[in-house]
Amino acid sequence: MESQLLSKKPKFNKLGKYYLVALCAIALSIILSQILIQKFISEQENDSRVINLSGRQRMLSQKISKCVLLLADTSYISNDRSTLTELEEALEEWKEVHHLLQWGDNSLGEKNQNSKKITELFSLIQQDYEIIVKASEEIIRLLKNDINIPKNQVLKGAEVVISQEASFLKKMDQIVYQFDNEAKTRVMNLKNIEAFFLALSLGVILFEIFFVFIPSAKTIKKTFEIQERSQKKSKKMTLELGSLYSSLEQAYQDLLEVDVAVDDFTVYGKCELNGDFINFSPKFISLMEFEDDRPKNFFEWIQYHGYDAAYLQNIKEMILNGNPWNGEIKVVNEGGDFVWLKVNLIPTQNEQGQPDSVLMITTDKTEKKEAEIISHEINKEKIEKKVKEQQFRSALILEGQEEERKRISRDMHDGVGQMLSAMKFNLEAIHHVGLEFEKEKLLTVKDLLKNVIQEVRRISFNLTPSVLSDYGIVPVLNKFAREITKISTLEVTFENKTGFLTRLEGKTENNIYRICQEAVNNAIKYSEAREVKITISHNSQFLNLEITDNGKGFDIQKLEEKGHFSTSGHGIFNIRERANLINGNCQIHSEKGKGTTISISVPLD
């Protein structure tokens, strides 16, 4: 399977290159098309302006002819000064437009790039233009000198303007037509370019579909099929491995229950009384994987493996006195593996009855020791698993209790509380009572109802204080201390030493509140205390909660030995259980006659 995946790698690289090239081609075509389109749009805006100016040029030439005729007409009775002003303005605008059509507006940085044809047409019209300008300027000059000069002096210039107007308009029409024709040509070119880039984009997309997406989809599909087969195979191997693990676990448990028989002990070697080896058995050499470098002395060999010299000296003295020694030793063979040996050192005597050598009668307990270690680990895992399951069940039970408390609190506040408040309003509405004892009864009922409403609110607050979810643990503990002080003989004070104001998780805040509630209730029920102090402080890592009372205290060690704190239903057990649920550390200190202190440290991470 590995070879199959490796064979797919070059294909994926090739597809990646195709995909990159295709994306670059699409991006390039989009950029080029936008550049060209924007350029043509800009030119089209200029074309419309030029065509508009061309038409205006024709209109202005006609306006100039009209004004000249009016100024030369003897039958025309009008204000010659206004007509002269109109002529002067029209001529100036006509000259300006004529300049713009040929060279653009240099002051605005606009320059016309007329075609060769239009330039030629403007050269043809230039003579007519100059004649009309010269004649019009002469008329303006004469009338400015004397507005009342005879009309026949103006008529000569007017005839020149009129005679050149027809030729100018004819050639101007050709220029307008040429401008319009060139604009249409550019529009067609733009359409052709758009069609080209559209075809290019579609071609790139088709290339991606057939040479990138479809091959990559097929390759990915094959890869998923291979992974699915691998997953099925892995599940099968996991089941088999689980079965093998269970069998191995059972084998270790069975091996743990088997005792090594006495006849398994064999002679592993022989030593002098001082521990120097005389000989080794083949089994000992094989087990320890000795080669040429074998140990010289038994006690030095054991000391090399970590045993205390004083302990070994005691064994030597026992052997010298003719007493046998037996025990277990743990050593490391030449291959680096641990070996456990059950060793009997038995002194042997010579003909005079004096100890002269030591037999090392040993059995190999390595397999059994390893089985014991593995069995211990297995049992440890099982115990940890059971503890976690118990903690999970406890968390579910506590969460269920909290939900039930919330429900009861809502029912009391929204149901019973509202009905009692309505009853209180109804009673307060009664003002006219005839007899005196009835008035006293009414006042008594009102006071009693007021106390009942306060009690319902107190119980509802203790079940689930709304301040806890709205503002956090510090305000609710402050209010809790005040409420308990009001309704009991116990004085409860709260102190926030380090100004802690950070909000915690809802579960953490709720459990801290319940711990305080449980501790204060225990103080009320059992401690005979007059004062309880709740203190909160914090640092960068922990929130520290301390609840201290000045009650009679108790022998905590004695109660722990009796198992009073190991069952649910006991206050101390509940406090410890809630502290564990929020990963807190719970410490309880109490002495008879010296009160009780409960300290909780909760991590702030």
Side-chain angles (χ1 to χ4, degrees):
M1 183 176 297
E2 224 175 286
S3 62
Q4 288 178 350
L5 292 174
L6 288 173
S7 65
K8 296 294 179 186
K9 188 175 180 181
K11 291 186 178 180
F12 276 117
N13 291 337
K14 195 174 181 181
L15 289 174
K17 291 178 182 177
Y18 284 154
Y19 190 68
L20 183 61
V21 170
L23 287 178
C24 291
I26 289 177
L28 186 61
S29 65
I30 291 172
I31 292 170
L32 288 176
S33 63
Q34 284 300 311
I35 291 173
L36 292 173
I37 288 170
Q38 292 301 321
K39 179 177 178 295
F40 276 99
I41 289 173
S42 177
E43 290 178 355
Q44 286 300 111
E45 292 176 352
N46 191 47
D47 288 343
S48 62
R49 181 168 174 268
V50 168
I51 293 170
N52 183 44
L53 288 175
S54 301
R56 186 167 184 78
Q57 186 74 334
R58 296 177 74 260
M59 180 273 293
L60 289 171
S61 64
Q62 293 174 344
K63 187 175 182 180
I64 290 170
S65 299
K66 180 198 74 169
C67 292
V68 168
L69 286 174
L70 290 175
L71 291 171
D73 189 2
T74 55
S75 62
Y76 177 70
I77 302 172
S78 180
N79 189 350
D80 289 341
R81 290 189 182 278
S82 62
T83 305
L84 179 61
T85 302
E86 186 179 355
L87 173 62
E88 190 175 7
E89 291 175 355
L91 182 62
E92 286 301 319
E93 187 176 356
W94 191 58
K95 289 160 63 177
E96 183 181 354
V97 170
H98 187 76
H99 181 274
L100 287 174
L101 287 174
Q102 292 185 81
W103 296 284
D105 190 350
N106 293 328
S107 63
L108 297 177
E110 297 179 359
K111 186 176 180 181
N112 288 351
Q113 294 181 351
N114 292 330
S115 64
K116 185 178 180 181
K117 179 68 174 175
I118 291 176
T119 304
E120 291 176 354
L121 290 173
F122 268 109
S123 64
L124 294 175
I125 206 174
Q126 187 67 24
Q127 185 178 0
D128 295 329
Y129 166 77
E130 291 176 355
I131 293 171
I132 294 173
V133 169
K134 187 176 180 181
S136 300
E137 287 178 344
E138 181 63 23
I139 293 172
I140 293 170
R141 186 184 66 78
L142 292 172
L143 291 174
K144 275 190 173 183
N145 290 334
D146 185 5
I147 193 65
N148 297 316
I149 63 172
K151 297 288 186 178
N152 58 354
Q153 293 184 19
V154 179
L155 183 60
K156 184 179 179 181
E159 289 176 351
V160 173
V161 171
I162 298 303
S163 65
Q164 295 297 324
E165 181 191 11
S167 176
F168 177 83
L169 290 175
K170 183 178 179 181
K171 294 173 183 177
M172 196 66 213
D173 286 339
Q174 293 177 1
I175 292 174
V176 173
Y177 175 78
Q178 186 63 28
F179 274 128
D180 184 58
N181 192 32
E182 290 180 2
K184 288 179 181 179
T185 303
R186 279 192 282 268
V187 170
M188 291 303 298
N189 291 337
L190 178 59
K191 288 182 178 179
N192 294 333
I193 290 172
E194 285 183 331
F196 170 75
F197 281 111
L198 177 61
L200 178 62
S201 300
L202 291 175
V204 172
I205 291 170
L206 290 173
F207 172 82
E208 286 186 350
I209 291 172
F210 288 105
F211 293 97
V212 179
F213 293 120
I214 292 177
S216 61
K218 290 180 180 178
T219 305
I220 291 168
K221 184 179 179 182
K222 289 180 182 178
T223 305
F224 276 123
E225 291 174 354
I226 293 171
Q227 289 179 347
E228 189 175 355
R229 289 197 295 268
S230 301
Q231 187 178 6
K232 290 179 181 178
K233 189 175 180 181
S234 299
K235 286 182 180 179
K236 184 179 178 182
M237 292 176 66
T238 303
L239 292 174
E240 292 175 356
L241 186 62
S243 177
L244 289 172
Y245 180 78
S246 299
S247 302
L248 183 62
E249 181 181 339
Q250 186 60 42
Y252 279 125
Q253 296 288 353
D254 294 340
L255 181 61
L256 185 62
E257 296 173 359
V258 176
D259 291 328
V260 179
V262 175
D263 56 2
D264 285 339
F265 283 92
T266 57
V267 178
Y268 270 40
K270 188 175 181 180
C271 305
E272 300 286 353
L273 289 177
N274 63 355
D276 291 340
F277 280 107
I278 299 172
N279 56 47
F280 301 88
S281 70
K283 188 172 183 179
F284 187 35
I285 294 171
S286 174
L287 179 64
M288 299 306 298
E289 299 182 10
F290 290 142
E291 294 181 356
D292 297 333
D293 188 17
R294 298 177 184 178
K296 305 298 182 184
N297 185 281
F298 173 79
F299 296 109
E300 292 176 358
W301 179 59
I302 295 300
Q303 187 175 0
Y304 171 76
H305 287 282
Y307 288 88
D308 185 62
Y311 172 69
L312 297 176
Q313 184 61 35
N314 291 334
I315 297 175
K316 279 185 184 181
E317 292 176 0
M318 289 178 62
I319 298 299
L320 291 172
N321 292 329
N323 297 321
W325 175 86
N326 63 78
E328 288 186 2
I329 61 173
K330 178 184 177 184
V331 294
V332 180
N333 65 12
E334 297 299 319
D337 297 324
F338 288 114
V339 177
W340 282 266
L341 299 175
K342 177 74 175 178
V343 180
N344 291 287
L345 298 178
I346 301 175
T348 60
Q349 299 178 351
N350 55 18
E351 294 176 355
Q352 288 78 26
Q354 297 295 324
D356 64 345
S357 63
V358 180
L359 291 177
M360 182 181 170
I361 301 174
T362 308
T363 184
D364 181 13
K365 296 191 68 175
T366 302
E367 289 186 1
K368 185 172 183 179
K369 280 291 184 181
E370 288 179 346
E372 287 177 355
I373 293 171
I374 295 173
S375 178
H376 175 73
E377 293 295 328
I378 292 170
N379 291 331
K380 183 180 178 183
E381 288 179 4
K382 288 181 178 179
I383 291 169
E384 289 177 351
K385 185 179 179 182
K386 287 182 180 179
V387 170
K388 289 180 180 179
E389 289 176 352
Q390 182 63 35
Q391 287 180 342
F392 181 69
R393 284 194 291 268
S394 298
L396 290 178
I397 291 169
L398 291 175
E399 287 178 5
Q401 290 176 350
E402 290 301 327
E403 290 298 323
E404 187 64 18
R405 282 173 173 168
K406 289 179 182 178
R407 186 188 65 79
I408 296 172
S409 175
R410 285 196 302 269
D411 291 345
M412 291 188 67
H413 183 271
D414 299 337
V416 178
Q418 298 298 330
M419 287 188 290
L420 290 173
S421 297
M423 187 183 296
K424 179 173 177 288
F425 291 144
N426 288 330
L427 286 174
E428 288 177 351
I430 300 174
H431 299 291
H432 303 288
V433 180
L435 301 174
E436 189 65 28
F437 79 92
E438 290 179 347
K439 291 181 180 180
E440 293 178 359
K441 286 272 186 182
L442 183 61
L443 291 174
T444 303
V445 171
K446 286 181 179 180
D447 291 338
L448 181 61
L449 188 59
K450 181 180 179 182
N451 293 333
V452 171
I453 291 172
Q454 289 179 347
E455 184 67 14
V456 168
R457 288 176 178 172
R458 184 191 67 80
I459 295 171
S460 177
F461 173 80
N462 287 337
L463 285 171
T464 304
S466 60
V467 182
L468 184 60
S469 59
D470 294 338
Y471 302 105
I473 189 63
V474 172
V476 79
L477 288 181
N478 195 11
K479 185 173 182 180
F480 171 73
R482 294 198 306 270
E483 292 290 330
I484 295 297
T485 303
K486 287 179 183 177
I487 64 172
S488 68
T489 57
L490 188 68
E491 183 180 354
V492 182
T493 59
F494 171 73
E495 182 181 4
N496 184 3
K497 283 187 175 181
T498 55
F500 180 77
L501 295 175
T502 306
R503 291 300 303 268
L504 305 174
E505 289 185 12
K507 182 182 76 172
T508 303
E509 291 185 340
N510 190 66
N511 280 293
I512 291 174
Y513 172 72
R514 294 302 177 199
I515 287 171
C516 293
Q517 196 177 40
E518 189 74 50
V520 172
N521 287 337
N522 285 344
I524 294 172
K525 292 178 183 178
Y526 309 115
S527 72
E528 299 177 4
R530 297 182 304 279
E531 182 181 354
V532 174
K533 188 173 183 179
I534 302 171
T535 305
I536 275 184
S537 62
H538 77 289
N539 53 35
S540 60
Q541 295 181 337
F542 294 96
L543 173 67
N544 302 308
L545 171 69
E546 188 174 277
I547 305 142
T548 306
D549 67 57
N550 61 354
K552 62 183 181 180
F554 58 90
D555 189 344
I556 187 168
Q557 185 175 358
K558 185 177 180 180
L559 290 178
E560 284 181 342
E561 289 173 356
K562 290 182 178 181
H564 281 63
F565 298 157
S566 61
T567 57
S568 61
H570 198 285
I572 301 296
F573 173 84
N574 293 338
I575 289 172
R576 286 177 171 171
E577 189 75 7
R578 288 186 180 276
N580 288 333
L581 288 176
I582 56 178
N583 298 322
N585 181 30
C586 178
Q587 299 290 334
I588 301 173
H589 303 281
S590 183
E591 292 183 25
K592 285 190 174 182
K594 295 186 178 180
T596 302
T597 299
I598 299 173
S599 301
I600 309 289
S601 293
V602 182
L604 291 174
D605 294 339

